[in-house]
Amino acid sequence: MSRIAFVNGRYKRHSDAVVHIEDRGYQFSDGVYEVILVKNKNFIDEKKHFDRLDYSLTSLDISWPMKKNSMRQIMQELVYKNRFVTGIIYIQITRGVARRDHSFPKGIKPALVMTARRLPKSNDGDIKSGVSVITIKDIRWGRCDIKSVSLLPNVLGKQEARNQGAYEAWQIDNEGFVTEGTSTNAWIVSSHGVLITRGLSNQILSGITRLTLIKIATELNFKFEERQFSVDEAKSSREAFLTSSTSFLTPVTQIDGVVIGNGAVGLLSMRLLQAYHQYINSSEI
Ligand code: PMP
């Protein structure tokens, strides 16, 4: 069975799904995206994803290509056409197609592409045993809060992690504090048992999984602080983990080769992951 994508108003087989060579996303990375987890045909945290998409589009002065409801119908149709119940929807909106010129062209329509795929079961193993991360300099731009398709530093960072046999690279700002992973948010549990993740600013993406876990942790009465933490603090932490819509909560058991805690997946991480699974399994459209 071939995968089906939605490209500028049409459902297409993946092999036939193409965009114009002067799409500004292709030439300038002039576009934004979202990745939404689909669990039992429910779009997890759909409203938060649409709100973040709205924030990204507004920040770049790109208009919505269609109403949210119509977009949602296409998402449902894609899940149906691709015959899965658990997977991800990828949405990409670019400023549109125009003769190459840096400034915004007038009178063009935004271009919309959506793809869907089954989520590989492969991350289960990582979740159980934990993963290692390396640290790298954060060389990204000053608006990491926009979910832009301009991901070159993230791509280079992830590849560096792969070259060193690690799962993710945590990026470090000029003051020695962890900003976030290349496609995930970074968390630690301090030696006093406090859950810590960096606060929102232009330097990180407001991860949806991050927002949901903060809510869950607060409901569970976990001690929680939203603040910066240094690489040294991370290395001497009791537990560490990373989050994203596709990695859920993945425990980190090594940072730059330094073993975190006793090297096993932490109790607080396990408790949070369990609560997150309950949340996504009970989510209703
Ligand atoms: N930070 C970055 C840089 C990311 O690319 C992602 C994944 N899109 C995240 C954090 C996690 O965000 P979410 O929980 O919404 O998947």
Side-chain angles (χ1 to χ4, degrees):
M1 187 204 85
S2 81
R3 279 175 65 198
I4 305 293
F6 179 86
V7 185
N8 292 316
R10 295 211 167 81
Y11 292 98
K12 295 271 193 180
R13 290 217 312 247
H14 251 250
S15 46
D16 305 328
V18 291
V19 293
H20 196 280
I21 53 167
E22 286 194 313
D23 185 302
R24 288 178 63 93
Y26 176 58
Q27 292 192 323
F28 295 112
S29 302
D30 189 2
V32 301
Y33 74 107
E34 278 298 324
V35 177
I36 304 178
L37 174 66
V38 185
K39 181 83 195 194
N40 303 324
K41 294 193 180 167
N42 290 326
F43 303 118
I44 303 302
D45 286 326
E46 180 194 319
K47 183 176 181 315
K48 290 190 196 122
H49 281 283
F50 276 140
D51 286 352
R52 185 172 66 183
L53 184 56
D54 190 50
Y55 177 79
S56 298
L57 289 169
T58 308
S59 303
L60 300 183
D61 203 11
I62 299 175
S63 50
W64 278 81
M66 60 175 62
K67 291 205 169 75
K68 280 179 209 166
N69 248 351
S70 313
M71 204 180 270
R72 194 159 169 273
Q73 272 167 17
I74 296 166
M75 285 158 59
Q76 279 168 335
E77 192 64 23
L78 278 180
V79 171
Y80 173 74
K81 285 187 189 302
N82 287 282
R83 299 187 197 181
F84 66 82
V85 291
T86 296
I88 56 167
I89 296 277
Y90 174 83
I91 303 171
Q92 177 171 314
I93 300 169
T94 68
R95 196 175 306 280
V97 175
R99 189 171 62 94
R100 190 176 183 281
D101 184 4
H102 285 60
S103 60
F104 296 176
K106 289 205 170 62
I108 58 164
K109 284 191 305 213
L112 169 65
V113 169
M114 287 198 230
T115 58
R117 71 175 162 87
R118 211 178 287 269
L119 197 64
K121 287 212 184 302
S122 58
N123 56 356
D124 282 4
D126 295 332
I127 289 171
K128 277 190 208 100
S129 58
V131 299
S132 56
V133 303
I134 57 164
T135 57
I136 56 168
K137 191 172 155 49
D138 195 336
I139 57 166
R140 298 174 301 161
W141 71 325
R143 290 304 306 275
C144 299
D145 54 321
I146 299 172
K147 201 162 168 57
S148 148
V149 292
S150 176
L151 290 170
L152 194 50
N154 310 55
V155 167
L156 296 176
K158 187 77 93 187
Q159 186 54 39
E160 185 56 34
R162 291 289 181 273
N163 291 346
Q164 295 191 35
Y167 181 85
E168 176 63 299
W170 279 7
Q171 301 168 102
I172 312 299
D173 69 15
N174 289 336
E175 279 80 48
F177 293 107
V178 176
T179 52
E180 61 182 335
T182 62
S183 63
T184 55
N185 287 112
W187 303 66
I188 57 168
V189 177
S190 76
S191 47
H192 303 293
V194 183
L195 183 64
I196 299 163
T197 196
R198 191 179 173 112
L200 296 181
S201 71
N202 291 346
Q203 285 175 282
I204 67 164
L205 183 77
S206 173
I208 303 302
T209 322
R210 176 189 175 282
L211 289 178
T212 296
L213 274 177
I214 290 176
K215 190 163 172 279
I216 291 175
T218 313
E219 282 164 9
L220 291 172
N221 287 324
F222 287 178
K223 281 183 267 173
F224 168 68
E225 279 176 21
E226 220 173 346
R227 66 160 171 86
Q228 295 182 338
F229 58 88
S230 68
V231 184
D232 287 342
E233 186 178 5
K235 287 180 182 169
S236 57
S237 63
R238 193 185 281 180
E239 299 179 30
F241 60 87
L242 48 86
T243 56
S244 78
S245 300
T246 48
S247 303
F248 304 164
L249 180 163
T250 299
V252 170
T253 47
Q254 276 192 30
I255 302 173
D256 289 335
V258 175
V259 173
I260 304 307
N262 62 4
V265 173
L267 284 178
L268 200 142
S269 308
M270 287 310 267
R271 181 75 195 85
L272 267 179
L273 179 61
Q274 210 181 16
Y276 184 69
H277 274 300
Q278 265 166 18
Y279 172 80
I280 60 177
N281 284 322
S282 65
S283 279
E284 289 290 321
I285 289 188

PDB file of all heavy atoms in Angstrom, residues 33 52 140 147 154 180-185 205 207-209 243-245, ligand 1:
ATOM      1  N   TYR A  33       6.547  24.522  10.424  1.00  0.00           N
ATOM      2  CA  TYR A  33       5.992  23.163  10.420  1.00  0.00           C
ATOM      3  C   TYR A  33       5.491  22.772  11.800  1.00  0.00           C
ATOM      4  O   TYR A  33       5.756  23.461  12.791  1.00  0.00           O
ATOM      5  CB  TYR A  33       7.026  22.153   9.914  1.00  0.00           C
ATOM      6  CG  TYR A  33       8.142  21.829  10.889  1.00  0.00           C
ATOM      7  CD1 TYR A  33       8.188  20.611  11.550  1.00  0.00           C
ATOM      8  CD2 TYR A  33       9.147  22.754  11.160  1.00  0.00           C
ATOM      9  CE1 TYR A  33       9.208  20.298  12.452  1.00  0.00           C
ATOM     10  CE2 TYR A  33      10.161  22.457  12.062  1.00  0.00           C
ATOM     11  CZ  TYR A  33      10.185  21.233  12.700  1.00  0.00           C
ATOM     12  OH  TYR A  33      11.186  20.941  13.594  1.00  0.00           O
ATOM     13  N   ARG A  52       0.585  26.878  18.485  1.00  0.00           N
ATOM     14  CA  ARG A  52       2.003  27.119  18.177  1.00  0.00           C
ATOM     15  C   ARG A  52       2.182  27.403  16.688  1.00  0.00           C
ATOM     16  O   ARG A  52       2.983  28.264  16.299  1.00  0.00           O
ATOM     17  CB  ARG A  52       2.852  25.923  18.609  1.00  0.00           C
ATOM     18  CG  ARG A  52       4.340  26.177  18.424  1.00  0.00           C
ATOM     19  CD  ARG A  52       5.192  25.085  19.036  1.00  0.00           C
ATOM     20  NE  ARG A  52       5.026  23.815  18.353  1.00  0.00           N
ATOM     21  CZ  ARG A  52       5.622  22.682  18.728  1.00  0.00           C
ATOM     22  NH1 ARG A  52       6.415  22.666  19.789  1.00  0.00           N
ATOM     23  NH2 ARG A  52       5.434  21.566  18.062  1.00  0.00           N
ATOM     24  N   ARG A 140      22.551  28.271  16.699  1.00  0.00           N
ATOM     25  CA  ARG A 140      21.335  28.658  15.977  1.00  0.00           C
ATOM     26  C   ARG A 140      21.059  30.160  16.041  1.00  0.00           C
ATOM     27  O   ARG A 140      21.747  30.898  16.725  1.00  0.00           O
ATOM     28  CB  ARG A 140      20.144  27.878  16.543  1.00  0.00           C
ATOM     29  CG  ARG A 140      20.295  26.376  16.371  1.00  0.00           C
ATOM     30  CD  ARG A 140      19.197  25.615  17.050  1.00  0.00           C
ATOM     31  NE  ARG A 140      19.161  25.906  18.472  1.00  0.00           N
ATOM     32  CZ  ARG A 140      18.116  25.673  19.254  1.00  0.00           C
ATOM     33  NH1 ARG A 140      17.023  25.128  18.750  1.00  0.00           N
ATOM     34  NH2 ARG A 140      18.156  25.964  20.540  1.00  0.00           N
ATOM     35  N   LYS A 147       8.830  27.708  15.034  1.00  0.00           N
ATOM     36  CA  LYS A 147       9.090  26.355  14.535  1.00  0.00           C
ATOM     37  C   LYS A 147       9.330  26.419  13.027  1.00  0.00           C
ATOM     38  O   LYS A 147       8.494  26.025  12.208  1.00  0.00           O
ATOM     39  CB  LYS A 147       7.930  25.404  14.889  1.00  0.00           C
ATOM     40  CG  LYS A 147       8.363  23.947  14.859  1.00  0.00           C
ATOM     41  CD  LYS A 147       7.379  23.090  15.611  1.00  0.00           C
ATOM     42  CE  LYS A 147       7.585  21.610  15.369  1.00  0.00           C
ATOM     43  NZ  LYS A 147       8.906  21.108  15.695  1.00  0.00           N
ATOM     44  N   ASN A 154      20.408  22.202  13.527  1.00  0.00           N
ATOM     45  CA  ASN A 154      19.839  21.034  14.204  1.00  0.00           C
ATOM     46  C   ASN A 154      20.255  19.746  13.498  1.00  0.00           C
ATOM     47  O   ASN A 154      20.589  18.738  14.126  1.00  0.00           O
ATOM     48  CB  ASN A 154      18.306  21.127  14.231  1.00  0.00           C
ATOM     49  CG  ASN A 154      17.813  22.474  14.738  1.00  0.00           C
ATOM     50  OD1 ASN A 154      18.180  23.520  14.210  1.00  0.00           O
ATOM     51  ND2 ASN A 154      17.003  22.458  15.765  1.00  0.00           N
ATOM     52  N   GLU A 180      18.492  23.323  24.570  1.00  0.00           N
ATOM     53  CA  GLU A 180      17.601  22.178  24.290  1.00  0.00           C
ATOM     54  C   GLU A 180      18.338  21.232  23.359  1.00  0.00           C
ATOM     55  O   GLU A 180      19.454  21.505  22.911  1.00  0.00           O
ATOM     56  CB  GLU A 180      16.296  22.665  23.653  1.00  0.00           C
ATOM     57  CG  GLU A 180      16.503  23.381  22.334  1.00  0.00           C
ATOM     58  CD  GLU A 180      15.211  23.905  21.712  1.00  0.00           C
ATOM     59  OE1 GLU A 180      14.122  23.358  21.988  1.00  0.00           O
ATOM     60  OE2 GLU A 180      15.301  24.848  20.922  1.00  0.00           O
ATOM     61  N   GLY A 181      17.701  20.105  23.045  1.00  0.00           N
ATOM     62  CA  GLY A 181      18.254  19.168  22.072  1.00  0.00           C
ATOM     63  C   GLY A 181      18.019  19.690  20.666  1.00  0.00           C
ATOM     64  O   GLY A 181      17.429  20.758  20.476  1.00  0.00           O
ATOM     65  N   THR A 182      18.475  18.937  19.658  1.00  0.00           N
ATOM     66  CA  THR A 182      18.295  19.392  18.278  1.00  0.00           C
ATOM     67  C   THR A 182      16.851  19.192  17.814  1.00  0.00           C
ATOM     68  O   THR A 182      16.398  19.866  16.899  1.00  0.00           O
ATOM     69  CB  THR A 182      19.236  18.648  17.318  1.00  0.00           C
ATOM     70  OG1 THR A 182      18.919  17.259  17.353  1.00  0.00           O
ATOM     71  CG2 THR A 182      20.686  18.838  17.694  1.00  0.00           C
ATOM     72  N   SER A 183      16.138  18.266  18.455  1.00  0.00           N
ATOM     73  CA  SER A 183      14.718  18.086  18.121  1.00  0.00           C
ATOM     74  C   SER A 183      13.919  17.695  19.363  1.00  0.00           C
ATOM     75  O   SER A 183      12.848  17.084  19.247  1.00  0.00           O
ATOM     76  CB  SER A 183      14.551  17.016  17.028  1.00  0.00           C
ATOM     77  OG  SER A 183      15.007  15.763  17.499  1.00  0.00           O
ATOM     78  N   THR A 184      14.435  18.049  20.531  1.00  0.00           N
ATOM     79  CA  THR A 184      13.789  17.676  21.798  1.00  0.00           C
ATOM     80  C   THR A 184      14.083  18.738  22.863  1.00  0.00           C
ATOM     81  O   THR A 184      15.050  19.481  22.735  1.00  0.00           O
ATOM     82  CB  THR A 184      14.368  16.330  22.319  1.00  0.00           C
ATOM     83  OG1 THR A 184      15.797  16.451  22.408  1.00  0.00           O
ATOM     84  CG2 THR A 184      14.033  15.160  21.411  1.00  0.00           C
ATOM     85  N   ASN A 185      13.263  18.787  23.896  1.00  0.00           N
ATOM     86  CA  ASN A 185      13.560  19.645  25.047  1.00  0.00           C
ATOM     87  C   ASN A 185      14.343  18.859  26.093  1.00  0.00           C
ATOM     88  O   ASN A 185      14.228  17.630  26.161  1.00  0.00           O
ATOM     89  CB  ASN A 185      12.256  20.193  25.660  1.00  0.00           C
ATOM     90  CG  ASN A 185      11.631  21.267  24.792  1.00  0.00           C
ATOM     91  OD1 ASN A 185      10.568  21.074  24.223  1.00  0.00           O
ATOM     92  ND2 ASN A 185      12.301  22.404  24.666  1.00  0.00           N
ATOM     93  N   LEU A 205      12.451  26.157  21.614  1.00  0.00           N
ATOM     94  CA  LEU A 205      11.096  25.941  21.112  1.00  0.00           C
ATOM     95  C   LEU A 205      10.196  25.578  22.291  1.00  0.00           C
ATOM     96  O   LEU A 205      10.606  24.804  23.162  1.00  0.00           O
ATOM     97  CB  LEU A 205      11.102  24.792  20.100  1.00  0.00           C
ATOM     98  CG  LEU A 205       9.738  24.548  19.458  1.00  0.00           C
ATOM     99  CD1 LEU A 205       9.468  25.594  18.388  1.00  0.00           C
ATOM    100  CD2 LEU A 205       9.652  23.163  18.858  1.00  0.00           C
ATOM    101  N   GLY A 207       8.149  23.320  23.380  1.00  0.00           N
ATOM    102  CA  GLY A 207       7.715  21.960  23.037  1.00  0.00           C
ATOM    103  C   GLY A 207       6.340  21.668  23.633  1.00  0.00           C
ATOM    104  O   GLY A 207       6.066  22.031  24.778  1.00  0.00           O
ATOM    105  N   ILE A 208       5.509  21.001  22.849  1.00  0.00           N
ATOM    106  CA  ILE A 208       4.161  20.686  23.330  1.00  0.00           C
ATOM    107  C   ILE A 208       4.233  19.602  24.411  1.00  0.00           C
ATOM    108  O   ILE A 208       3.525  19.666  25.419  1.00  0.00           O
ATOM    109  CB  ILE A 208       3.260  20.240  22.152  1.00  0.00           C
ATOM    110  CG1 ILE A 208       3.221  21.329  21.060  1.00  0.00           C
ATOM    111  CG2 ILE A 208       1.859  19.880  22.638  1.00  0.00           C
ATOM    112  CD1 ILE A 208       2.749  22.678  21.484  1.00  0.00           C
ATOM    113  N   THR A 209       5.130  18.640  24.218  1.00  0.00           N
ATOM    114  CA  THR A 209       5.298  17.586  25.226  1.00  0.00           C
ATOM    115  C   THR A 209       5.794  18.220  26.528  1.00  0.00           C
ATOM    116  O   THR A 209       5.385  17.820  27.621  1.00  0.00           O
ATOM    117  CB  THR A 209       6.304  16.529  24.725  1.00  0.00           C
ATOM    118  OG1 THR A 209       6.093  16.331  23.330  1.00  0.00           O
ATOM    119  CG2 THR A 209       6.139  15.220  25.458  1.00  0.00           C
ATOM    120  N   THR A 243      12.341  15.308  25.814  1.00  0.00           N
ATOM    121  CA  THR A 243      10.937  15.123  25.420  1.00  0.00           C
ATOM    122  C   THR A 243      10.658  15.669  24.021  1.00  0.00           C
ATOM    123  O   THR A 243      11.259  16.661  23.597  1.00  0.00           O
ATOM    124  CB  THR A 243       9.970  15.862  26.390  1.00  0.00           C
ATOM    125  OG1 THR A 243      10.321  17.252  26.446  1.00  0.00           O
ATOM    126  CG2 THR A 243       9.997  15.263  27.768  1.00  0.00           C
ATOM    127  N   SER A 244       9.762  15.000  23.331  1.00  0.00           N
ATOM    128  CA  SER A 244       9.206  15.505  22.077  1.00  0.00           C
ATOM    129  C   SER A 244       7.980  14.664  21.736  1.00  0.00           C
ATOM    130  O   SER A 244       7.778  13.602  22.332  1.00  0.00           O
ATOM    131  CB  SER A 244      10.216  15.428  20.932  1.00  0.00           C
ATOM    132  OG  SER A 244      10.302  14.107  20.453  1.00  0.00           O
ATOM    133  N   SER A 245       7.226  15.129  20.755  1.00  0.00           N
ATOM    134  CA  SER A 245       6.002  14.414  20.372  1.00  0.00           C
ATOM    135  C   SER A 245       6.294  12.999  19.886  1.00  0.00           C
ATOM    136  O   SER A 245       5.439  12.128  19.982  1.00  0.00           O
ATOM    137  CB  SER A 245       5.267  15.175  19.271  1.00  0.00           C
ATOM    138  OG  SER A 245       4.928  16.451  19.729  1.00  0.00           O
TER     139      SER A 245
HETATM  140  N1  PMP B   1      12.903  21.508  20.488  1.00  0.00           N
HETATM  141  C1  PMP B   1      13.134  21.419  19.174  1.00  0.00           C
HETATM  142  C2  PMP B   1      14.257  22.202  18.566  1.00  0.00           C
HETATM  143  C3  PMP B   1      12.320  20.599  18.361  1.00  0.00           C
HETATM  144  O1  PMP B   1      12.535  20.520  17.042  1.00  0.00           O
HETATM  145  C4  PMP B   1      11.273  19.854  18.977  1.00  0.00           C
HETATM  146  C5  PMP B   1      10.422  18.927  18.156  1.00  0.00           C
HETATM  147  N2  PMP B   1       9.698  19.578  17.192  1.00  0.00           N
HETATM  148  C6  PMP B   1      11.075  19.977  20.351  1.00  0.00           C
HETATM  149  C7  PMP B   1      11.911  20.818  21.084  1.00  0.00           C
HETATM  150  C8  PMP B   1       9.976  19.227  21.052  1.00  0.00           C
HETATM  151  O2  PMP B   1       8.720  19.762  20.710  1.00  0.00           O
HETATM  152  P1  PMP B   1       7.387  18.886  20.776  1.00  0.00           P
HETATM  153  O3  PMP B   1       7.280  18.394  22.175  1.00  0.00           O
HETATM  154  O4  PMP B   1       6.322  19.852  20.414  1.00  0.00           O
HETATM  155  O5  PMP B   1       7.540  17.760  19.794  1.00  0.00           O
END
